[in-house]
């Protein structure tokens, strides 16, 4: 297991917003963790390079290339750089939030929006809101409001029995216990487990488990692990079976998430 290094949130992110939309650029070394913090405003985080893991009190989000995570105001979150990351954060004044999703989520970034975000990296935060830079940022806001949600959110259960399951799966991702077997381990019927997963995460156990597998897989892929080893780690019968599951659920082959650096 790599040793993770704790780092502080950026100074800019803790100050009062001077502009309706503030842009913050930051590079984070691999295996670094930005300590848990929150903002009084909405935040959109986009990794220009690398892969992030964003964890709140209720969910975890893998943020791979071509996606970004939207966080509501006052949401405590911790950010982990799975690989070396160059990121751009946009902080939105609360008066602008009605245009953005009502829940924290991961958004898919198309090529046009990606180009706008990269151009915004050159904006300094003394720009003129009514000028060209302000227009660019308002266009980013508009395009984010239209961006589709993608499935990299993993809701956390709260029930101690389900947390026991989660802990065991994280320690041994290859286990393929069904709900009857889990019931024998944690002392609950398969029906109870099924009901708890649906009520606490909004997902069935099978879908929740697939999302967890996808998060683990993306983390391993970006570190350079082979598809064969990842397939074995997650308990799939073959690399092709794993690749099929991955593509069905993400729309991309695993190689799409391979680090380009």
């Amino acid at each position: 297991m790599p040793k993770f290094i704790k780092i502080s949130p950026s100074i800019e992110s803790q100050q009062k917003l001077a502009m309706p939309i503030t842009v913050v650029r930051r590079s984070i070394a691999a295996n670094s963790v930005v300590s848990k913090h929150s903002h009084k405003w909405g935040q959109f985080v986009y990794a220009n390079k690398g892969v992030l893991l964003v964890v709140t009190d209720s969910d975890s989000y893998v943020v791979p290339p071509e996606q970004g995570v939207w966080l509501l105001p006052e949401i405590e979150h911790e950010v982990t750089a799975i690989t070396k990351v160059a990121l751009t954060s946009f902080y939105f004044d609360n008066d602008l939030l009605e245009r953005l999703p009502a829940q924290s989520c991961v958004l898919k970034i198309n090529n046009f929006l990606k180009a706008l975000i990269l151009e915004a990296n050159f904006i300094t935060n003394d720009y003129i809101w009514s000028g060209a830079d302000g227009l660019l940022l308002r266009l980013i806001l508009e395009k984010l409001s239209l961006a589709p949600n993608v499935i990299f959110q993993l809701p956390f259960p709260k029930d101690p029995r389900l947390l026991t399951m989660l802990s065991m799966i994280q320690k041994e991702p290859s286990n393929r216990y069904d709900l009857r077997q889990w019931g024998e381990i944690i002392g609950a019927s398969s029906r109870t487990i099924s009901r708890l997963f649906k009520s606490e995460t909004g997902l069935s156990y099978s879908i929740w488990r697939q999302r967890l597998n996808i998060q683990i897989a993306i983390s391993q892929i970006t570190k350079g692990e082979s598809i064969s080893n990842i397939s074995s780690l997650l308990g799939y019968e073959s690399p092709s079976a794993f690749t099929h599951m991955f593509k069905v659920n993400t729309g991309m082959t695993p190689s799409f998430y391979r680090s380009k650096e």
Side-chain angles (χ1 to χ4, degrees):
M1 291 289 291
K3 182 178 180 180
F4 288 89
I5 302 170
K6 289 275 188 178
I7 57 177
S8 299
S10 61
I11 294 175
E12 297 95 328
S13 71
Q14 301 174 67
Q15 297 174 341
K16 182 178 180 180
L17 292 186
M19 302 296 293
I21 302 175
T22 297
V23 185
V24 175
R25 296 157 295 278
R26 191 172 191 184
S27 295
I28 305 177
N31 301 324
S32 296
V33 180
V34 180
S35 301
K36 183 178 285 189
H37 62 288
S38 64
H39 314 289
K40 295 181 179 179
W41 44 82
Q43 179 185 15
F44 178 73
V45 185
Y46 178 79
N48 304 296
K49 293 181 180 179
V51 176
L52 293 168
L53 174 66
V54 179
V55 178
T56 71
D57 290 338
S58 60
D59 302 272
S60 69
Y61 306 84
V62 168
V63 190
E66 315 304 327
Q67 279 90 40
V69 65
W70 163 246
L71 294 166
L72 294 176
E74 308 291 354
I75 297 291
E76 287 205 333
H77 57 282
E78 182 179 80
V79 180
T80 299
I82 296 174
T83 64
K84 181 181 179 182
V85 170
L87 64 82
T88 306
S89 284
F90 296 87
Y91 299 111
F92 293 91
D93 187 274
N94 290 344
D95 290 340
L96 301 175
L97 298 191
E98 65 179 17
R99 304 284 297 158
L100 292 161
Q103 301 293 330
S104 299
C105 60
V106 175
L107 299 175
K108 185 173 183 179
I109 306 304
N110 62 26
N111 287 335
F112 180 59
L113 182 49
K114 179 180 179 180
L116 295 176
I117 291 171
L118 293 177
E119 185 66 23
N121 281 310
F122 299 99
I123 295 177
T124 58
N125 288 314
D126 57 355
Y127 66 88
I128 298 173
W129 180 244
S130 60
D133 288 340
L135 178 61
L136 172 63
L137 293 175
R138 293 197 299 277
L139 182 55
I140 289 174
L141 170 64
E142 180 66 25
K143 298 305 271 185
L144 285 176
S145 73
L146 301 174
N149 195 338
V150 289
I151 66 162
F152 296 106
Q153 175 186 1
L154 185 71
F156 292 142
K158 301 296 185 183
D159 187 279
R161 293 165 292 183
L162 301 190
L163 291 176
T164 297
M165 289 175 61
L166 174 58
S167 177
M168 291 178 66
I169 293 169
Q170 289 174 325
K171 290 177 181 177
E172 189 182 356
S174 63
N175 89 60
R176 310 299 289 178
Y177 298 153
D178 59 26
L179 291 185
R180 180 188 60 79
Q181 291 169 306
W182 278 121
E184 293 175 355
I185 293 170
I186 67 172
S189 69
S190 58
R191 178 177 292 185
T192 296
I193 297 173
S194 178
R195 176 179 54 78
L196 283 172
F197 260 99
K198 190 67 176 178
S199 65
E200 296 204 357
T201 71
L203 304 172
S204 68
Y205 171 69
S206 61
I207 293 175
W208 182 90
R209 181 64 191 271
Q210 279 193 339
R211 289 199 189 182
L212 177 61
N213 285 349
I214 290 167
Q215 289 202 353
I216 293 171
I218 291 175
S219 174
Q220 294 296 311
I221 292 165
T222 57
K223 293 175 182 176
E225 194 62 69
S226 71
I227 299 305
S228 177
N229 286 347
I230 295 170
S231 172
S232 177
L233 172 70
L234 295 177
Y236 285 88
E237 294 181 356
S238 67
S240 61
F242 161 72
T243 299
H244 176 74
M245 179 282 297
F246 193 94
K247 188 171 183 179
V248 166
N249 282 278
T250 68
M252 300 291 180
T253 62
S255 62
F256 176 81
Y257 296 95
R258 186 74 66 191
S259 175
K260 305 299 190 295
E261 296 188 323

